[in-house]
Amino acid sequence: MSQGSSATYDLYVVGGGINGAGIAADAAGRGLAVGLCEMNDLASATSSASSKLIHGGLRYLEQGEFRLVREALGEREVLLRKAPHIIRPMRFRLPHNPKLRSAMVIQAGMLLYDRLARRTTLPASETLNSDSATPLRPEFNKLFEYSDAWVDDARLVVLNAMAARQAGAVISTRTQCISAAREQGLWTIRLRNVAEGNERVVYSRALVNAVGPWVSRFYNHQLKETAPKQVRLVQGSHIVVPRLYSGDEAYILQHSDRRIVFVLPYEGRFSLIGTTDLEHETTPETISITQDEVEYLLMVVNNHFLQQLNKDDVVHSFAGIRPLVCANTGPAQKASRDYEFSLDDDQGEAPLLSVFGGKITTYRKLAEAALNKLSPYFCDMRPAWTADTPLPGGDFSSPAELLESFSQHYPWLPEELKQRYCRSYGTLSQQILLYCQQLSDLGQHFGAGLYQREVEYLIEQEWALTAEDILWRRSKLGLHMSSREIKALQEYLQKRTQACIRELIEAEQQ
Ligand SMILES: Cc1cc2nc3c(=O)[nH]c(=O)nc-3n(C[C@H](O)[C@H](O)[C@H](O)COP(=O)(O)OP(=O)(O)OC[C@H]3O[C@@H](n4cnc5c(N)ncnc54)[C@H](O)[C@@H]3O)c2cc1C
């Protein structure tokens, strides 16, 4: 592949969400010359607004989605091994409500859930009676408990982009694909740098449309074609409140509309509550939680928990758009969460593969399936490899061992920081801590344990540019920092950018 303004790739991926980053990593690791563009920050759309569960989806069994559930359940342990820093097992408690689902139905579902895929480390499901320490109202005295896993969704995207880069891929953030057309057996792809407005062209033997909720619009706007399938855009929102209970378990609450709401331990001091299903009419850019959604989530939680919440307890919220593959009508919670591809080419050349739907949980299998589909166009492509290879920073045997080694190597590192580095960066922490021998070597402290060294690492290694990238996607430190502290970070970033521009100008003048 030639680099520069007119690079030619084997595979060009548009979209830096989990599916685009996963496909780029898989393809680059198989020896293809890969490029990826993301018009905003990595994971800036749906892939940072999920419920953050690596799960089979107990309720999808009710809808007969056995293929999806089996694939997703199998992925739990694969992903726990691949990314033990950002993915961890979690127990889920479902309070029994005999008016909504009988105990027999739930127990049968959990038995199936336990057995549909190989499970070696996650414990089996069980039925419990609530005890005096329960945070739930007294009528919920019987609980069903099962295993799934929790993931830092935005970091999963970044780690896949890093894995792609390690294998030679060129990742361009803040870069929008504005058009793509087939010319003489290649894709001519026009890109615009969103910050500066300048445009460039790259060429590629194959194109992947992995723009999530924008997938159909990409056909109309960028390809000037009619989309072969439509996606149904359904908004889902979450609220964050001060922690509702002290345990590490999550709750899955049933509501009379047959929907379910999760309550998850979140970032130490908080609980994450979601989600909703709201049909979305406008463009994917314009989303935020509605008042009705806030009230709905509070109502479901208040129906179950002893502690009663009101709107003033909400400290943060976020909303995302599910691109659901089935375009039919009917309740959104019943629409399939599975994925589909569309693949076409021009007389055997310049294939276009588009991704419709998908879940965070199944991104790796989706990427493998995408590469299988494209394999006839790349005869010398190497075989699938991602199942057994850790993501960057995930090359350690257990979080306890990693913490122990941090304690030995960096005895001066405060306990809270050690824990956070371990679960955010794993062994990548060594890059932040290189040559540091005391806390002051980490540089300026912005608040909540965010030091200059981490900021610099995120900018240099993880494509972070703005305070929002750092505080809400690379970390969730935005939850813990005051507005004054956030302003100090913004000022630091601004000064840093100005200094970089000055250096560039001086270098050009020499
Ligand atoms: C509320 C909610 C809860 C969910 N919970 C879970 C869960 O718990 N577990 C789970 O497994 N899944 C969950 N999901 C599903 C999961 O989040 C999505 O399936 C997944 O994130 C979709 O990823 P994607 O890469 O397809 O799309 P996105 O993450 O939206 O990425 C597409 C990217 O393409 C970029 N883009 C668009 N157009 C262009 C262009 N022209 N040029 C360059 N870039 C462009 C966008 O900026 C965007 O970053 C949830 C979804 C929602 C909405």
Side-chain angles (χ1 to χ4, degrees):
M1 183 202 67
S2 62
Q3 297 279 337
S5 60
S6 59
T8 301
Y9 297 92
D10 291 323
L11 189 76
Y12 204 81
V13 181
V14 184
I18 190 58
N19 290 326
I23 291 171
D26 193 333
R30 293 184 197 223
L32 300 188
V34 174
L36 177 147
C37 71
E38 161 55 50
M39 65 180 175
N40 199 328
D41 182 27
L42 293 166
S44 51
T46 322
S47 298
S48 58
S50 82
S51 301
K52 305 172 202 319
L53 303 180
I54 298 293
H55 65 159
L58 192 55
R59 80 199 152 98
Y60 304 142
L61 286 177
E62 259 183 349
Q63 289 147 228
E65 295 242 30
F66 297 112
R67 191 213 75 79
L68 172 66
V69 177
R70 184 180 291 113
E71 182 170 282
L73 286 174
E75 279 304 276
R76 292 178 312 185
E77 299 217 7
V78 175
L79 296 178
L80 276 164
R81 280 197 308 276
K82 261 183 92 67
H85 41 343
I86 58 158
I87 302 181
R88 59 175 183 271
M90 194 172 262
R91 292 291 276 176
F92 286 75
R93 291 186 175 169
L94 188 146
H96 181 39
N97 183 340
K99 290 193 206 122
L100 295 178
R101 287 173 185 91
S102 77
M104 226 167 67
V105 164
I106 292 176
Q107 279 161 336
M110 290 201 313
L111 196 69
L112 195 58
Y113 205 69
D114 278 347
R115 304 226 167 134
L116 259 179
R118 216 164 80 92
R119 184 175 46 78
T120 47
T121 59
L122 293 171
S125 58
E126 56 183 326
T127 303
L128 308 169
N129 290 319
S130 66
D131 56 24
S132 58
T134 181
L136 297 174
R137 291 163 66 140
E139 60 264 39
F140 299 108
N141 51 12
K142 188 187 233 175
L143 304 158
F144 305 101
E145 194 181 84
Y146 65 95
S147 289
D148 267 326
W150 184 91
V151 62
D152 185 330
D153 51 4
R155 291 204 56 74
L156 186 69
V157 177
V158 172
L159 295 184
N160 273 278
M162 290 172 83
R165 183 180 59 193
Q166 277 173 9
V170 177
I171 309 290
S172 309
T173 59
R174 267 84 187 186
T175 303
Q176 183 178 25
C177 169
I178 50 174
S179 70
R182 290 182 171 106
E183 279 170 32
Q184 297 166 5
L186 285 179
W187 280 100
T188 300
I189 304 156
R190 185 165 289 278
L191 304 174
R192 179 186 292 144
N193 178 312
V194 176
E196 291 156 18
N198 50 319
E199 293 183 9
R200 67 191 163 104
V201 167
V202 295
Y203 303 96
S204 182
R205 290 168 67 194
L207 181 66
V208 172
N209 164 8
V211 293
W214 289 265
V215 60
S216 305
R217 211 169 69 167
F218 188 80
Y219 278 89
N220 307 330
H221 292 204
Q222 274 76 10
L223 302 172
K224 309 284 180 222
E225 283 178 24
T226 307
K229 297 178 208 284
Q230 292 300 320
V231 278
R232 186 170 167 189
L233 302 180
V234 176
Q235 172 164 326
S237 299
H238 291 82
I239 53 175
V240 178
V241 299
R243 195 162 182 147
L244 266 172
Y245 53 91
S246 57
D248 288 335
E249 68 282 357
Y251 284 85
I252 165 169
L253 313 176
Q254 306 174 77
H255 187 54
S256 53
D257 60 4
R258 309 291 291 175
R259 295 196 67 266
I260 49 114
V261 169
F262 289 105
V263 181
L264 307 158
Y266 194 54
E267 295 297 311
R269 293 197 283 124
F270 301 96
S271 294
L272 176 66
I273 301 169
T275 175
T276 52
D277 282 313
L278 187 68
E279 228 46 69
H280 198 77
E281 304 292 338
T282 53
T283 58
E285 288 90 351
T286 55
I287 53 161
S288 60
I289 192 167
T290 65
Q291 219 36 56
D292 285 352
E293 286 176 289
V294 174
E295 278 165 20
Y296 174 85
L297 293 172
L298 292 175
M299 178 262 296
V300 176
V301 170
N302 287 341
N303 285 346
H304 287 82
F305 280 82
L306 286 168
Q307 186 182 330
Q308 297 292 289
L309 297 173
N310 65 50
K311 280 185 272 182
D312 297 336
D313 293 308
V314 178
V315 295
H316 180 61
S317 64
F318 57 88
I321 300 277
R322 300 178 186 88
L324 299 181
V325 75
C326 89
N328 62 0
T329 50
Q333 73 263 30
K334 290 201 171 157
S336 173
R337 264 52 173 175
D338 214 342
Y339 55 82
E340 284 178 16
F341 296 128
S342 156
L343 176 66
D344 62 79
D345 62 25
D346 182 19
Q347 297 174 357
E349 291 186 315
L352 165 69
L353 183 121
S354 298
V355 178
F356 293 81
K359 291 182 65 64
I360 299 270
T361 308
T362 47
Y363 87 91
R364 194 197 65 80
K365 291 292 273 184
L366 180 150
E368 259 183 16
L371 270 293
N372 284 347
K373 283 245 170 215
L374 289 166
S375 61
Y377 304 93
F378 299 104
C379 299
D380 48 359
M381 189 165 78
R382 293 200 287 266
W385 63 281
T386 54
D388 302 317
T389 310
L391 281 165
D395 50 343
F396 59 91
S397 44
S398 77
E401 265 179 46
L402 186 67
L403 270 177
E404 181 51 37
S405 92
F406 278 13
S407 300
Q408 277 171 19
H409 289 97
Y410 315 105
W412 47 268
L413 201 59
E415 186 58 33
E416 215 175 309
L417 207 52
K418 203 162 53 182
Q419 300 260 2
R420 185 168 69 76
Y421 281 2
C422 175
R423 54 163 213 270
S424 300
Y425 302 110
T427 56
L428 290 172
S429 310
Q430 288 152 9
Q431 294 187 29
I432 301 173
L433 295 165
L434 196 67
Y435 306 126
C436 292
Q437 288 173 355
Q438 54 202 347
L439 196 57
S440 59
D441 291 342
L442 290 177
Q444 182 177 345
H445 183 231
F446 295 99
L450 179 68
Y451 287 86
Q452 193 175 353
R453 281 296 286 258
E454 184 177 357
V455 170
E456 288 298 319
Y457 161 83
L458 291 173
I459 295 169
E460 283 162 18
Q461 301 298 325
E462 297 199 4
W463 298 276
L465 199 67
T466 66
E468 194 184 320
D469 301 350
I470 292 169
L471 299 180
W472 294 107
R473 286 184 284 274
R474 304 305 180 281
S475 77
K476 296 290 179 286
L477 291 171
L479 276 173
H480 305 272
M481 282 169 70
S482 67
S483 44
R484 195 174 46 81
E485 290 168 334
I486 294 174
K487 195 156 173 267
L489 174 65
Q490 285 164 338
E491 281 165 6
Y492 173 82
L493 296 173
Q494 218 169 6
K495 279 191 196 140
R496 193 186 181 282
T497 311
Q498 283 160 358
C500 287
I501 293 171
R502 265 199 311 276
E503 263 175 41
L504 275 174
I505 293 171
E506 279 164 19
E508 265 174 29
Q509 284 168 347
Q510 275 165 15

